[in-house]
Amino acid sequence: VRQFARLLSVALLLALPATSASAHKLKVFAFAEGETIRGLVYFSGNGPAQGTRIQVFDPDGALLAEATTDSEGHFTIIAARRVDHRIGADSGDGHHAEYVVRADELSPALPAVIGPSAAELETMIERTVARQVGPLREQLDAFEDQVRWHDVLGGLGYILGITGIACYLIGRRNRQP
Amino acid sequence: MAHLVDGVVCTPVIVAGATIAVVGIATGLRRIEGDRLPYCGLMSAAFFVASLMHVPVGPSNVHLILNGLLGIVLGWGAVPAIFVGLLLQALFFGYGGITVLGVNTVIMGLPAVACFYLFAPALQREGRYAWTWGAVAGAFAILLTCGCVGAALALSGREFVPAAQLVFLTHLPLMAVEAVLTGTIVVFLQRVKPEVLILPSQLPAEQPGRA
């Protein structure tokens, strides 16, 4: 008798959560409307679940959005990417439900992967190019400022030439009279 | 910088500088004797290269001018020599502007000629004190150059006066360097090649008259 009682209590313990869960099982339903995901959270047979926290994850498990259901259990999320949206609803008292809005339900206009915007991309490229070109420009500047040896030699050559021409002119003037 | 750049001095100063420079160059060319012409070229080359010898002075840095030496050796011939040197410095190194070439020629040529009249006769007479006279000439030429820079700047507008004072201050160490250098070069020339320093037709003491 004692053994039976123990088995019964175990069975009851096991059955209790199951019955309570099925009694008001939390359920999520959502559908995509272009870029908007509308959804409803409700307890099966018990009406809408208001104030339920909604967390949306992408297939990699990264959090995409968070929302809270309104008084009628509705929630709205704006999708930014065309990927599967795994919507999790948590009523905070141990009830949890999930629903997946598949990528192909969402607007094809959405990008699958969010990259940097055009402006951000431009600044990134500019920064990289500037970083790589900067030292070069410095070198070039220093190089231009440098007095180069061929300039010095060229100048000396000019002086020599001018002196030579002057010598020639004076020599010719002295010879004439 | 003793080399003024374009746009620092006003137009009247540029015109006046160019006029004086032309007169100076003409005088110099007329007074150069045929056999002294190589010295003129040599000194011009020395002047040209001296501008590459930088002497750091605090935040600024100045370079050798050697116009005292040029004056002692060449007399009026220093003016065309300096002009050629300045022209090539402006073209090759970007030292000093092209439009202010005349002004720069006066700024450096005038002290050279002054040194010639003030110190060359003494140098001939008192050969034993060659180093001293050379040093005095070297320092005096820089002093006068600073004065000319200051005058050119002051004539172009009052706000340049502090700049002229700064030029003078930064050139004080240069005066010392040029004094030592000019004195040493003069002594060296006197020992090795004294005829470089002798200026037959231009010394007031002897006027042999030109052929």
Side-chain angles (χ1 to χ4, degrees), chain B residues 38-210:
Chain B
Y39 300 139
C40 197
L42 190 71
M43 284 294 142
S44 186
F47 173 81
F48 173 72
V49 175
S51 71
L52 299 177
M53 312 287 174
H54 288 271
V55 182
V57 179
S60 173
N61 90 46
V62 294
H63 55 75
L64 295 180
I65 302 177
L66 291 185
N67 51 351
L69 179 70
L70 263 75
I72 290 177
V73 175
L74 302 174
W76 277 94
V79 183
I82 285 171
F83 172 77
V84 170
L86 281 174
L87 176 69
L88 293 171
Q89 281 169 359
L91 290 178
F92 281 106
F93 309 145
Y95 292 169
I98 295 290
T99 59
V100 288
L101 210 53
V103 180
N104 280 335
T105 306
V106 174
I107 283 172
M108 286 170 238
L110 197 71
V113 176
C115 279
F116 167 68
Y117 280 116
L118 288 173
F119 306 115
L123 196 64
Q124 304 304 324
R125 261 183 274 115
E126 306 163 46
R128 281 191 301 159
Y129 303 107
W131 194 92
T132 314
W133 285 116
V136 171
F140 180 77
I142 301 301
L143 184 69
L144 209 56
T145 301
C146 289
C148 290
V149 171
L153 293 177
L155 287 171
S156 303
R158 253 183 342 146
E159 68 270 26
F160 281 116
V161 171
Q165 284 168 344
L166 190 69
V167 168
F168 175 71
L169 283 176
T170 54
H171 279 73
L172 277 177
L174 184 67
M175 276 169 65
V177 173
E178 291 249 358
V180 173
L181 213 60
T182 309
T184 309
I185 293 173
V186 164
V187 169
F188 176 77
L189 287 175
Q190 196 190 34
R191 287 198 190 139
V192 176
K193 212 164 167 58
E195 63 267 31
V196 176
L197 293 171
I198 295 167
L199 298 150
S201 65
Q202 290 166 22
L203 278 182
E206 41 171 336
Q207 292 274 0
R210 293 166 62 198

Side-chain angles (χ1 to χ4, degrees), chain A residues 4 17 25 29 41 55 57 62 65 102 110 118 129 133 135 137-139 151 153 168 170:
Chain A
F4 174 74
K25 185 181 178 184
F29 173 73
V41 185
Q55 284 184 307
F57 300 92
R102 292 206 318 281
L110 288 173
V129 170
V133 169
R137 284 173 62 179
E138 270 171 35
Q139 269 185 344
D151 283 346
L153 292 175
Y168 166 73
I170 286 179

Side-chain angles (χ1 to χ4, degrees), chain A residues 50-79:
Chain A
Q50 46 181 280
T52 307
R53 200 156 69 98
I54 305 290
Q55 284 184 307
V56 186
F57 300 92
D58 72 357
D60 299 328
L63 186 67
L64 292 174
E66 277 187 297
T68 310
T69 56
D70 61 13
S71 59
E72 293 175 347
H74 292 289
F75 66 91
T76 310
I77 289 156
I78 308 294

Side-chain angles (χ1 to χ4, degrees), chain A residues 145 147-156 158-159 162-163 165-168 170 173-174, chain B residues 29 32-34 37-38 40-42 44-46 48-49 52 84-85 88 92-93 95 210:
Chain A
D145 269 355
V147 170
R148 273 153 282 170
W149 280 111
H150 58 77
D151 283 346
V152 179
L153 292 175
L156 293 178
Y158 269 101
I159 292 170
I162 291 167
T163 313
I165 291 168
C167 280
Y168 166 73
I170 286 179
R173 193 179 61 189
N174 287 350
Chain B
L29 288 177
I32 297 173
E33 306 248 304
L37 203 58
C40 197
L42 190 71
S44 186
F48 173 72
V49 175
L52 299 177
V84 170
L88 293 171
F92 281 106
F93 309 145
Y95 292 169
R210 293 166 62 198

Side-chain angles (χ1 to χ4, degrees), chain A residues 78-97:
Chain A
I78 308 294
R81 289 163 57 192
R82 197 164 190 249
V83 290
D84 288 352
H85 281 59
R86 195 156 53 81
I87 297 162
D90 203 317
S91 63
D93 56 359
H95 293 104
H96 188 82

Side-chain angles (χ1 to χ4, degrees), chain A residues 119-136:
Chain A
E120 282 173 337
L121 205 67
E122 213 176 302
T123 44
M124 279 166 72
I125 291 171
E126 267 171 15
R127 205 182 304 140
T128 311
V129 170
R131 196 178 54 225
Q132 299 196 346
V133 169
L136 232 104

